[in-house]
Amino acid sequence: MSTTIEKLPTGIPGFDEISRGGMPEGRTTLVAGSAGSGKTLFAAQFLAHAVRVDREPAIFVTFEERPSELRRNFMTLGWDVASWEEDGLWHFLDVSPSLSTETVIVGDWDFTGLIARVETMVQRTGARRVALDSLGAVFSEFPDPAKVRGEMRRLAHAMLELGVTAVVTAEREEEYGAIARHGVEEFVADDVVVLRHVLHEEQVRRTVQILKYRGTDHRQGEFPLTIIDELGVVVLPLVESGHEEGSTDLRVSSGNAELDAMCGGGFMRDSVTLVSGATGTGKTLTCAHFLHGGASNGERVLLFAYEESRAQLFRNARGWGFDFEALERAGNLRVVTAHPEVANLEDHLVRMRREIDAYEPDRVAIDSLSALEHIATLRGFRQFIMGITGLMKRRQITGLFTSTTPNLLGGDSITISHISTLTDAIILLRYVEVLGQIRRGVAVLKVRGSRHDHDIREVEIDGNGMGIGAAFRDVDGILGGSPARLRPITASRLEGLFEDPPAGGI
Amino acid sequence: MTRARYLLFVTSRGRTRQFVEDCLRAYAEDLHGPDHEVVVVRVEDHPELADEHRVLSTPLILRELPLPQVRIVGVPDGPDVLARVLDPVLDPVRPSTRPPHHHPHAPGPSQAGEDA
């Protein structure tokens, strides 16, 4: 559908992408959400964008919180609302309840007082954006909801007459129930945005959904949303439209010549590889090879480490023969370490984006996804992987993620079973028990668009990093987690199982 | 110094504003005699006063003095209603209270442009 209705940019990262341009101009959009879903901030950010970017005045009508409280809250985002007010750019219109003064209703009333105030302020300031937050507070002041709804309809009509673009917030009782409490959607029926704030399996997950955008295009479904200091509300569109992901046949080295050979000549440049294995099988070492291989070749490489401290990482790298300090000093390596639990997954994704935007790396490694998996729902985790892989492919960044299997001797991790289709290549690292000894093995499970080695090869780890040797020829069941030694006669029969019959038939 | 002060917030759209003003003046005159002040504020003309007192609905009577401050929302049926709300400890019906001359129906938006 072609878009004929003009839209105003919101300044909410990601929202203009899912709304295909922002808020419909000259209309009132209802933003409905449960307590704590970010409604007030959403509305304020829409105004702040006009003030900050275009030095255009805006009006915030507050039905609930006092301007002093709002001013203080907005300051935490780095918005100097007080100075905007001094400059005549930001205007609070305070209709919050007067708690210190008794109020008695004795007869018929209407909202013409409020409408007159809004009209006068719009005319006086020239504001084109208005936020009204939040309507639920008004309903609690008056005993007759039907009457309030009627007056709200009158207010909405007045906003339309004024030609302003407005955001009205309202409460919801249930995340997947009625659009808003008190049926307020009746009078702003054209455009409805729903913010959700769901607690599932002890994880908070925020989403945004454009429920209705009458006569204009938008993306369907729920999208993750987060609230971050300095940025405010951030929507994560996961896959951005209009940015066709490029594809290339160019190969880059994994940093390990033997692994390159197993993968058919290295990794595709815009590919994402998943390295899965139990603890101690060499996942972080594979990362180190990958990073060192790029950085020592003059590329910029970025590591997000969620399991080890920076000091541990650098020490381990030294033990494998990699001088990460020197690569960092040369500006070819950047290491970002964080505890997964300090933020939700959407926050981590936003921070990753900011790091990638700032550093512009050629390679990115995440060690490990399993650490992040624990702080999200399965759906949220999958969307996170979609978001980060999409970003990396658009920028033609080579990616490598690690994932820890729960069992020492193999088996699938939840991570690998849910994101394997989102990655281009999968490398398995496994412990192998042979003749009473624990050895390590590596297998390339898939490389999209390329031939690859089908052997499970032995891995040795020493002061020179990872060495990949010969294939295990006499062990079966490695990937299933129950390796068993085959008798030589069986192994030789298996090897000949798929050979062509000799000429002349059997 | 005036010991009684009332603000009445109205808009140019409100059909009942004259009736409410008459009620308020009758009530104040009856209670305080000449020693009172009634200020009628048309929101469009004095938005700064409406902002200061956070006016949402109209008509709105704000008793500033005597304390405590009280906000009365809506069109009262007559001065005696104001008396009952504002001075509940006094006799709710005063013999000298003048009845309102006329009580119009609910206000509508069609009367925009009338003078206060």
Side-chain angles (χ1 to χ4, degrees), chain A residues 152-302:
Chain A
M152 285 292 181
R153 192 172 290 115
R154 189 198 293 222
L155 174 62
H157 182 72
M159 306 291 275
L160 194 67
E161 293 282 301
L162 284 168
V164 295
T165 307
V167 171
V168 178
T169 69
E171 293 74 18
R172 308 187 76 208
E173 283 170 345
E174 294 173 19
E175 297 296 357
Y176 292 91
I179 291 177
R181 202 183 282 171
H182 309 297
V184 295
E185 70 277 10
E186 284 176 23
F187 56 84
V188 276
D190 283 347
D191 310 308
V192 179
V193 174
V194 171
L195 305 182
R196 294 193 177 89
H197 184 234
V198 182
L199 185 66
H200 179 66
E201 293 174 355
E202 298 182 7
Q203 306 290 343
V204 170
R205 179 171 154 78
R206 296 175 190 273
T207 64
V208 59
Q209 180 184 8
I210 297 173
L211 217 58
K212 203 191 290 187
Y213 249 31
R214 195 176 295 272
T216 177
D217 193 18
H218 65 90
R219 285 178 63 183
Q220 304 284 343
E222 283 184 72
F223 295 88
L225 173 150
T226 189
I227 297 171
I228 288 192
D229 289 351
E230 298 173 18
L231 288 178
V233 175
V234 177
V235 176
L236 303 165
L238 303 178
V239 181
E240 289 174 27
S241 58
H243 297 84
E244 198 59 37
E245 290 166 6
S247 183
T248 173
D249 291 333
L250 285 176
R251 299 264 189 168
V252 298
S253 172
S254 68
N256 182 304
E258 292 113 350
L259 189 58
D260 286 349
M262 287 185 76
C263 294
F267 297 158
M268 299 289 188
R269 195 184 68 185
D270 58 350
S271 71
V272 172
T273 300
L274 180 68
V275 178
S276 169
T279 178
T281 49
K283 296 186 302 299
T284 304
L285 172 56
T286 310
C287 263
H289 271 288
F290 173 71
L291 296 169
H292 183 263
S296 56
N297 199 30
E299 294 178 26
R300 294 161 74 83
V301 302
L302 174 60

Side-chain angles (χ1 to χ4, degrees), chain A residues 8-29:
Chain A
L8 293 182
T10 59
I12 297 166
F15 186 78
D16 295 355
E17 164 63 28
I18 66 164
S19 61
R20 309 243 197 259
M23 291 292 170
E25 190 173 13
R27 303 206 311 215
T28 297
T29 298

Side-chain angles (χ1 to χ4, degrees), chain A residues 102 104 106 108 110 117 119, chain B residues 13 51 55 58 71 73 75 106:
Chain A
E102 184 191 3
V104 184
V106 297
D108 198 16
D110 59 45
R117 288 178 67 192
E119 285 174 346
Chain B
R13 293 178 171 119
D51 289 345
V55 173
T58 45
R71 294 160 74 94
V73 172
V75 181

